[in-house]
Amino acid sequence: MRQMSGQDAAFLYGETPNWHMHVSALMVLDPSTCPDGWSFARFKELLVERMPEAPQLRWKLRDVPFGLDRPYWIEDPDVDPDFHIRRIGVPSPGGPQELADLCGHLAGLKLDRSRPLWEAWVIEGLPEGRVAP
């Protein structure tokens, strides 16, 4: 168990039902350059294999009673990769506007505070077979 940093606590306390303080990122990849090809299953497998190297992916929030101090991070021994690693298709025709709209929607979803505070979305259906993991 480790106490949340002041910066992390500020992000947490700054959230409202309509204003989420989590951080999002997007990268669009050309899977034709992958030596062994691309698959969602392999992406997920690699991420799960590497989770032991990133303990923050296993931390979940634990509030202090009565809010008397900053919350703590505790280890979640039962992280469910199926919950955290997801796939979705961009609506047709899959261009920049549809991708932007989908990313805006995903960024607008509140993270489940009863689980580690992260999600990895893989967006498929982009032009030229590209993916956005």
Side-chain angles (χ1 to χ4, degrees):
M1 183 166 47
R2 79 176 36 215
Q3 191 166 34
M4 183 179 283
S5 72
Q7 183 178 19
D8 285 344
F11 271 78
L12 189 69
Y13 297 146
E15 277 199 339
T16 70
N18 295 319
W19 189 285
H20 308 307
M21 297 297 291
H22 52 258
V23 176
S24 300
L26 174 71
M27 63 180 163
V28 177
L29 304 177
D30 178 358
S32 69
T33 62
C34 295
D36 298 324
W38 162 264
S39 78
F40 173 77
R42 182 65 183 136
F43 170 79
K44 183 176 176 181
E45 179 183 308
L46 283 170
L47 190 53
V48 170
E49 281 176 15
R50 294 175 181 173
M51 283 179 67
E53 306 304 320
Q56 296 86 347
L57 297 179
R58 298 185 309 273
W59 293 352
K60 67 180 181 179
L61 182 66
R62 177 69 67 213
D63 285 318
V64 173
F66 308 110
L68 294 175
D69 201 355
R70 292 191 317 264
Y72 281 79
W73 293 116
I74 62 168
E75 178 109 8
D76 183 350
D78 300 314
V79 176
D80 179 7
D82 292 327
F83 177 84
H84 292 279
I85 307 167
R86 304 173 183 189
R87 70 195 301 188
I88 192 169
V90 70
S92 184
Q97 185 62 53
E98 291 80 18
L99 179 59
D101 291 346
L102 179 56
C103 288
H105 170 73
L106 295 175
L109 299 174
K110 189 169 184 166
L111 295 173
D112 182 346
R113 289 192 178 185
S114 70
R115 299 174 180 263
L117 297 177
W118 66 275
E119 294 175 354
W121 287 88
V122 174
I123 302 172
E124 300 171 324
L126 299 173
E128 301 172 15
R130 291 182 177 355
V131 294

